[in-house]
Amino acid sequence: MKKWAAFLLLLILPVMALGKTFRPDSWPILFGYLAVISFSTYLTYWHDKRRARSGGWRVPEKLLHLLELLGGWPLAFVAQRVFHHKNQKRSYQIVFWFIVLLHQLVALDYLLDWRISARLFN
């Protein structure tokens, strides 16, 4: 239960940033993109787990991480718990959580009108 509460907390900053970014008339495009990338990420985890069990060709971890980076990290988190896949591999989790942190920092910086970036790069 604690993991799911943490998951919901991790969604707060990105959702707030998306709400600030897009006008209501562009929300269908945004939600369409997020639905496609999220569902694709979830299905890719499912496919990789099936292949892991059957000894077949595996999905490269770079592809899983790319999907997470492109915005599929929330359903990657869910897939890791539902399929018990990639959630024990430390090297994978380090990159996964770096991607989640990156999304959090970019959302926070955007909500603060890029003040963090301005201080870092000026």
Side-chain angles (χ1 to χ4, degrees):
M1 187 65 183
K2 290 180 184 180
K3 290 179 184 179
W4 294 108
F7 171 70
L8 292 175
L9 287 174
L10 288 170
L11 290 175
I12 292 172
L13 285 175
V15 168
M16 288 175 61
L18 290 172
K20 178 182 174 184
T21 303
F22 294 94
R23 298 181 324 267
D25 61 335
S26 65
W27 285 359
I29 295 168
L30 168 68
F31 288 120
Y33 169 77
L34 290 175
V36 168
I37 195 67
S38 296
F39 191 63
S40 297
T41 303
Y42 189 85
L43 285 178
T44 304
Y45 267 83
W46 172 78
H47 177 73
D48 191 44
K49 181 63 175 190
R50 277 189 55 217
R51 293 299 190 151
R53 286 184 177 158
S54 67
W57 173 83
R58 299 290 304 277
V59 174
E61 288 185 356
K62 288 179 182 181
L63 177 58
L64 292 172
H65 287 315
L66 177 62
L67 291 169
E68 296 158 2
L69 186 63
L70 292 174
W73 69 266
L75 279 188
F77 179 91
V78 172
Q80 288 175 20
R81 272 106 197 121
V82 170
F83 304 130
H84 305 285
H85 190 54
K86 299 290 188 186
N87 58 348
Q88 297 297 316
K89 188 174 181 185
R90 185 174 302 273
S91 61
Y92 189 88
Q93 286 297 303
I94 288 170
V95 176
F96 172 76
W97 286 106
F98 177 79
I99 290 168
V100 174
L101 179 62
L102 180 65
H103 276 264
Q104 300 300 310
L105 290 175
V106 169
L108 177 62
D109 198 19
Y110 177 71
L111 290 168
L112 295 174
D113 296 319
W114 304 111
R115 285 185 233 153
I116 298 169
S117 297
R119 288 189 182 179
L120 290 174
F121 300 111
N122 284 333

